[in-house]
Amino acid sequence: MDIGLVGLGKMGGNMRTRLRDAGHTVIGYDRNPDLADADSLAAMVEQLPSPKVVWVMVPAGDPTRGTIQELGELLSDGDLVVDGGNSKWTDDQINAEKLAQKGIGFVDCGVSGGVWGLQNGYALMVGGTDEDVAKVQPALDALKPEEGGFVHAGKKPGAGHFAKMVHNGIEYAMMQSYAEGWELLEKVDLVDNVTDVFDSWRSGTVIRSWLLDLLVAAVEEDPHLDKISGYAEDSGEGRWTVEAAIENAVPMNVIAASLFARFTSRQEDSPAMKAIAAMRNQFGGHAVHTEPPAGGDAG
């Protein structure tokens, strides 16, 4: 099939390559002219045969909203827009409604696979009507792994991104569990080969996973992670997952805790912990540190 691809960064660029390797014609547009096949969004659309399919892979929020709005002016009845970024599912509903007013279809697609997707394929979680999904199915088949990795999560706009959002919330919790286990093993003066312990869990245990593989690769390069700062960002999807849990009265203790742990990682000295230390001192006379403990830091 012929497809337009907007956004040729780490994931978008690899997706273009994987699609082309499968025999599809891809016209890519990026603000970086060194990456682009067309010098404007309009030029990219012009090169596509009708009905046109354009896949958007730009940062969530205003960049995606702006791109889809512009595509709404460039595309026609029967064309299709796919949002493959990390948009919030509520944005999908708005974008789908606006495009539908002009007869343009919309598919939201949660994409997982990172920089490894080019080689391994991408896990794809799709939302949209059967008709719209069918229009882009050849590209979905090319992007997904050889076995599995694809789901039409629901026919309503936002179903794909909602599924991907929950996926990322689970990912937060899994990463936090591995990280806490690693810290405890590092802390005790008992286990000599922490990296080997984690490596042994990659076969035969119930906690084996690709995330575990990636952690082992990281600690093999830097056994005590001395080269990395203990600061972790969040993509936004962890927050949205917790927000959705609150809205639907679903208890989500572990995922919420893993999100808050990332917030803690950004504090050099926790104001909340200062308050706790002050209270402990007041009711029990417990020692208060005015400087970081020897050998440690304020975080």
Side-chain angles (χ1 to χ4, degrees):
M1 68 177 291
D2 292 80
I3 187 168
L5 183 59
V6 185
L8 302 170
K10 291 180 180 178
M11 284 191 69
N14 282 345
M15 290 169 68
R16 175 174 62 176
T17 300
R18 188 171 174 90
L19 286 166
R20 285 177 173 172
D21 287 348
H24 298 295
T25 299
V26 183
I27 308 298
Y29 171 70
D30 193 277
R31 289 186 299 175
N32 181 349
D34 294 334
L35 301 176
D37 305 310
D39 57 14
S40 69
L41 205 57
M44 181 203 71
V45 170
E46 182 66 27
Q47 294 181 51
L48 294 171
S50 294
K52 304 176 189 292
V53 176
V54 178
W55 188 303
V56 179
M57 285 296 294
V58 300
D62 288 341
T64 294
R65 295 186 199 106
T67 300
I68 291 177
Q69 182 177 352
E70 188 175 352
L71 286 170
E73 301 297 325
L74 296 169
L75 297 174
S76 304
D77 185 18
D79 294 339
L80 177 71
V81 172
V82 181
D83 179 4
N86 283 330
S87 294
K88 192 172 184 180
W89 59 278
T90 50
D91 281 359
D92 297 322
Q93 297 172 339
I94 296 170
N95 289 330
E97 182 178 352
K98 289 181 177 179
L99 292 171
Q101 293 172 1
K102 300 181 178 182
I104 303 169
F106 179 81
V107 167
D108 60 282
C109 183
V111 181
S112 182
V115 296
W116 297 91
L118 173 60
Q119 176 182 349
N120 299 333
Y122 300 89
L124 306 171
M125 292 144 271
V126 171
T129 66
D130 291 337
E131 180 183 3
D132 285 340
V133 172
K135 290 179 182 179
V136 73
Q137 192 67 56
L140 297 170
D141 290 340
L143 290 170
K144 74 177 187 65
E146 291 185 11
E147 299 292 333
F150 168 78
V151 61
H152 186 177
K155 297 181 181 181
K156 294 180 180 179
H161 278 145
F162 194 92
K164 175 59 163 48
M165 177 191 75
V166 175
H167 164 280
N168 278 31
I170 293 170
E171 177 186 302
Y172 275 47
M174 291 176 65
M175 292 172 71
Q176 186 67 25
S177 295
Y178 286 134
E180 291 176 5
W182 176 82
E183 182 176 357
L184 180 58
L185 285 168
E186 282 274 295
K187 185 74 172 182
V188 299
D189 185 21
L190 182 65
V191 177
D192 297 325
N193 302 305
V194 175
T195 299
D196 291 343
V197 169
F198 270 82
D199 187 47
S200 74
W201 293 345
R202 297 168 65 192
S203 302
T205 75
V206 296
I207 65 167
R208 60 189 184 273
S209 74
W210 186 28
L211 283 173
L212 180 60
D213 295 340
L214 296 174
L215 178 57
V216 170
V219 294
E220 283 179 344
E221 295 177 6
D222 183 8
H224 303 293
L225 300 181
D226 295 325
K227 301 174 183 177
I228 300 175
S229 172
Y231 181 107
E233 281 288 2
D234 66 286
S235 64
E237 289 176 300
R239 300 186 191 207
W240 302 338
T241 306
V242 174
E243 290 170 359
I246 293 169
E247 292 170 1
N248 292 278
V250 174
M252 195 165 277
N253 306 297
V254 176
I255 292 176
S258 67
L259 173 64
F260 295 148
R262 296 201 181 187
F263 298 161
T264 301
S265 79
R266 301 168 203 169
Q267 297 178 330
E268 291 185 2
D269 195 5
S270 168
M273 289 302 105
K274 286 183 179 182
I276 289 173
M279 286 184 281
R280 292 183 74 248
N281 177 255
Q282 289 293 322
F283 70 66
H286 300 288
V288 176
H289 293 285
T290 56
E291 294 181 0
D297 58 30

